[in-house]
Amino acid sequence: MEKITKVQDFIDALYKSYTNYKTYWNYEDGCVLTGFVQLFDVTQDKKYIEYVVNYLEKVILDDGTITNYETGANNIDGFNCGKVLYRAYDYTKDEKFKNAIEFLIKNLRQHPRTKTENFWHKGIYPNQVWLDGLYMAQPFYAEYETRYNNKENYADIAKQFQNVKMLMRDSKTGLYYHGYDEARKMFWADKQTGLSPNFWLRSIGWFFMALVDTIDAISEQVYEHRRVLIDIFRELADAILAQQDSKTKLFYQVIDHPNAEGNYTETSGSSMVAYALMKGVRLGVLNREKYLDKGVEVFDGIVEHKLNDGILSDICCVAGLGPENNPTRNGSVEYYISETKANNDAKGAGPFMMAYAQRLMLI
């Protein structure tokens, strides 16, 4: 009970104090809004969904135009916030939210792709696939196909995940590299494989959440494509858990280098792992007896070690690969560890709330 009070006090304070992360349509706000949506789903407290609706109403016109959307940037991050539009539409029945979904789908259909048909990460990162991008776009895409497009593009969605497994998975550890450059031109990319050099926890967390959320969005009636994702998800669950810190039950910023100087157990990625494990159990795609306690212990580890006096600490502020004019973002162990840590950042607070919502759903 004490843990729940501690967590709820943090969420209540965040709800009252949160302000938009950026002035334009962004994925960070999408993380927090998704947390609020899931808390509404489990608590039925309307303040959470009404916060989301109010946020959206300020930037969406009746025709669905998102006024602060970065049109032309070809930024895969721009689809993450779109996920909450489905729930806003369900709650309000306001057609402008359905129109906004169509606005984003139109942009997604025009988004550039690699030769293997995966979405580029951004226009400034041509021919590149980052694990982050699977979370930003695929659950939104899958939900659209299920609701409005007769499931016609399920094969495209499954193929993009299969490509990532084929191109970006390490056969020894089962972990996934952060980025892949199909052109093999970037300074961080291996000239033979196109891969970045290391495993960054949060990027793996994004991918882990992408899998479970897309599994959730795809109809159980279409067994073939859903099963592809389930197999990848189960395999990754075991690979991640093999890297768990035995003392804190959390995971390191550079997940497979726990003894690297300055490395630390990182909160956002650990929250993502807790979320995905517990949701996987709830959906019935992970064995309850084997994985429920694992998901709960990761979440409890965050509450014990990272949440103190209303502060959620040790959240990596940002990390990436390049672009060309930023050679410090080279994917090295030292680079990931050197990035600034923040408190209560949306990229940690959002997944933490999602994990808490899943925990409540399992009680």
Side-chain angles (χ1 to χ4, degrees), residues 86 105 108-109 138-157 217-219:
Y86 296 108
I105 280 294
L108 188 65
R109 287 180 178 138
Q138 298 300 333
F140 171 77
Y141 186 13
E143 183 79 9
Y144 183 84
E145 291 300 312
T146 301
R147 287 184 179 231
Y148 304 123
N149 202 40
N150 199 32
K151 311 172 183 65
E152 288 189 6
N153 289 310
Y154 275 5
D156 178 35
I157 293 165
I218 286 181
S219 170

Side-chain angles (χ1 to χ4, degrees), residues 241 244 249 274 277-278 290-299:
L241 287 170
Q244 187 178 25
K249 306 303 182 183
L277 289 172
M278 289 189 285
K290 182 177 179 181
Y291 294 98
L292 175 57
D293 287 348
K294 284 292 183 182
V296 171
E297 76 177 9
V298 178
F299 180 75

Side-chain angles (χ1 to χ4, degrees), residues 294-330:
K294 284 292 183 182
V296 171
E297 76 177 9
V298 178
F299 180 75
D300 287 350
I302 297 165
V303 176
E304 179 181 353
H305 297 286
K306 305 298 183 181
L307 182 60
N308 294 289
D309 299 322
I311 295 173
L312 190 65
S313 62
D314 286 341
I315 301 168
C316 175
C317 192
V318 67
L321 299 164
E324 199 70 59
N325 62 358
N326 195 348
T328 60
R329 293 176 23 131
N330 60 10

Side-chain angles (χ1 to χ4, degrees), residues 24-239:
Y24 58 86
W25 186 258
N26 66 90
Y27 79 92
E28 294 93 343
D29 284 345
C31 290
V32 171
L33 297 178
T34 299
F36 285 152
V37 163
Q38 293 191 19
L39 286 169
F40 168 70
D41 287 341
V42 68
T43 68
Q44 291 301 295
D45 188 335
K46 291 182 179 180
K47 73 179 183 183
Y48 294 121
I49 191 66
E50 288 173 358
Y51 183 102
V52 173
V53 170
N54 183 58
Y55 175 99
L56 297 171
E57 284 183 335
K58 292 176 181 177
V59 296
I60 297 175
L61 303 181
D62 287 345
D63 67 357
T65 300
I66 300 171
T67 58
N68 61 345
Y69 184 79
E70 290 186 296
T71 302
N74 290 321
N75 184 351
I76 204 73
D77 292 342
F79 300 100
N80 185 46
C81 204
K83 298 169 189 175
V84 300
L85 287 165
Y86 296 108
R87 299 296 283 111
Y89 179 63
D90 291 342
Y91 182 72
T92 65
K93 304 303 180 185
D94 190 330
E95 285 298 315
K96 72 179 176 185
F97 296 132
K98 172 62 165 58
N99 294 338
I101 293 168
E102 295 292 348
F103 173 90
L104 288 175
I105 280 294
K106 180 180 178 181
N107 280 276
L108 188 65
R109 287 180 178 138
Q110 297 170 351
H111 198 87
R113 296 184 182 228
T114 64
K115 292 178 182 177
T116 56
E117 290 298 302
N118 277 68
F119 295 128
W120 285 10
H121 192 63
K122 294 183 184 180
I124 62 170
Y125 301 123
N127 306 301
Q128 295 171 39
V129 178
W130 296 10
L131 296 181
D132 320 24
L134 278 294
Y135 177 74
M136 303 302 165
Q138 298 300 333
F140 171 77
Y141 186 13
E143 183 79 9
Y144 183 84
E145 291 300 312
T146 301
R147 287 184 179 231
Y148 304 123
N149 202 40
N150 199 32
K151 311 172 183 65
E152 288 189 6
N153 289 310
Y154 275 5
D156 178 35
I157 293 165
K159 180 66 173 176
Q160 293 197 48
F161 281 101
Q162 288 176 301
N163 286 340
V164 168
K165 178 180 178 179
M166 177 180 67
L167 296 168
M168 300 175 70
R169 181 179 178 271
D170 175 56
S171 60
K172 293 180 181 178
T173 63
L175 299 173
Y176 286 73
Y177 292 96
H178 184 181
Y180 167 72
D181 175 20
E182 184 178 66
R184 292 159 172 75
K185 291 181 178 180
M186 290 301 297
F187 57 86
W188 50 259
D190 184 279
K191 298 307 178 188
Q192 299 300 316
T193 65
L195 292 168
S196 59
N198 284 291
F199 309 117
W200 177 39
L201 172 62
R202 189 158 75 218
S203 69
I204 294 171
W206 289 128
F207 186 59
F208 201 30
M209 291 201 301
L211 283 160
V212 76
D213 285 356
T214 307
I215 290 165
D216 190 20
I218 286 181
S219 170
E220 294 184 18
Q221 297 173 346
V222 186
Y223 177 81
E224 176 187 357
H225 300 309
R226 197 168 184 267
R227 184 56 195 240
V228 165
L229 304 184
I230 290 171
D231 289 345
I232 297 172
F233 178 69
R234 288 172 172 169
E235 188 177 60
L236 181 56
D238 290 335

